[in-house]
């Protein structure tokens, strides 16, 4: 593939690393004290309670609401793991699919907030493009270790 400055594989590595930085920022900007004492899950519960789709309320009430502390840790540390994994290029296809799933969950939960949707749609698109372009071929631990060849 003919490109300017970098090879095609390197441009996809740039995209992967940028997405990883975005996930890392999502983790970094959380008020951890408030988040881990229930603030984030309480906020999401309020969004789910008013959601127009009953399956969102039902899913939140059955899966998240009974386990607020665990879910707060799962969400925060999933974002951290995604960020670090994508930046380092370690288990990249798994991180991309996990990030895509998390973005789709956020997208469905926040369907009313179009300002938030732009971020989730863009991150989901980057995940798909990087996954199908095999964005772990360059500048990654996966490439160095011969994983996912």
């Amino acid at each position: 593939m003919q490109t300017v400055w970098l090879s095609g594989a390197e441009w996809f590595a740039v995209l992967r690393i940028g997405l990883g930085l975005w996930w890392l920022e999502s983790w970094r900007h959380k008020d951890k004290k408030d988040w881990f004492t229930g603030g984030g899950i309480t906020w999401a519960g309020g969004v789910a309670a008013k959601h127009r789709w009953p399956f969102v309320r039902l899913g939140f009430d059955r899966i998240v609401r009974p386990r607020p502390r665990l879910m707060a840790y799962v969400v925060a540390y999933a974002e951290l793991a995604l960020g670090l994994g994508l930046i380092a290029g370690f288990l990249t296809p798994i991180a991309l699919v996990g990030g895509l799933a998390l973005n789709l969950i956020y997208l469905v939960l926040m369907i009313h907030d179009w300002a938030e949707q732009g971020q989730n749609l863009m991150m989901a698109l980057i995940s798909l493009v990087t996954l199908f372009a095999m964005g772990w071929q360059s500048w990654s631990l996966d490439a160095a270790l011969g994983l996912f060849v």
Side-chain angles (χ1 to χ4, degrees), residues 112-130:
H112 303 322
D113 186 350
W114 286 106
E116 186 73 19
Q117 297 307 33
Q119 172 178 318
N120 288 306
L121 286 170
M122 188 59 63
M123 290 175 82
L125 177 63
I126 293 169
S127 293
L128 277 174
V129 168
T130 307

Side-chain angles (χ1 to χ4, degrees), residues 25-88:
E25 175 59 19
S26 183
W27 174 79
R28 190 200 63 79
H29 88 271
K30 281 182 173 37
D31 177 348
K32 306 301 184 296
K33 183 176 180 186
D34 180 55
W35 186 263
F36 294 131
T37 57
I41 300 302
T42 300
W43 168 80
V47 172
K50 297 180 276 185
H51 207 282
R52 69 175 88 163
W53 297 337
F55 80 89
V56 173
R57 289 190 301 273
L58 181 66
F60 192 91
D61 288 342
R62 287 193 178 163
I63 297 169
V64 179
R65 197 175 306 279
R67 304 164 191 85
R69 188 171 169 88
L70 173 64
M71 288 293 128
Y73 278 93
V74 166
V75 168
Y77 287 105
E79 290 178 354
L80 176 61
L82 289 168
L84 295 175
L86 291 170
I87 291 166

Side-chain angles (χ1 to χ4, degrees), residues 1-8 10-11 14:
M1 172 189 287
Q2 182 75 24
T3 67
V4 176
W5 190 37
L6 300 173
S7 72
E10 290 169 338
W11 279 117
V14 168

Side-chain angles (χ1 to χ4, degrees), residues 76-113:
Y77 287 105
E79 290 178 354
L80 176 61
L82 289 168
L84 295 175
L86 291 170
I87 291 166
F90 184 63
L91 302 177
T92 308
I94 296 165
L96 289 167
V97 170
L100 179 61
L102 199 53
N103 279 126
L104 293 177
I105 289 168
Y106 293 168
L107 186 72
V108 169
L109 180 62
M110 296 300 300
I111 200 74
H112 303 322
D113 186 350

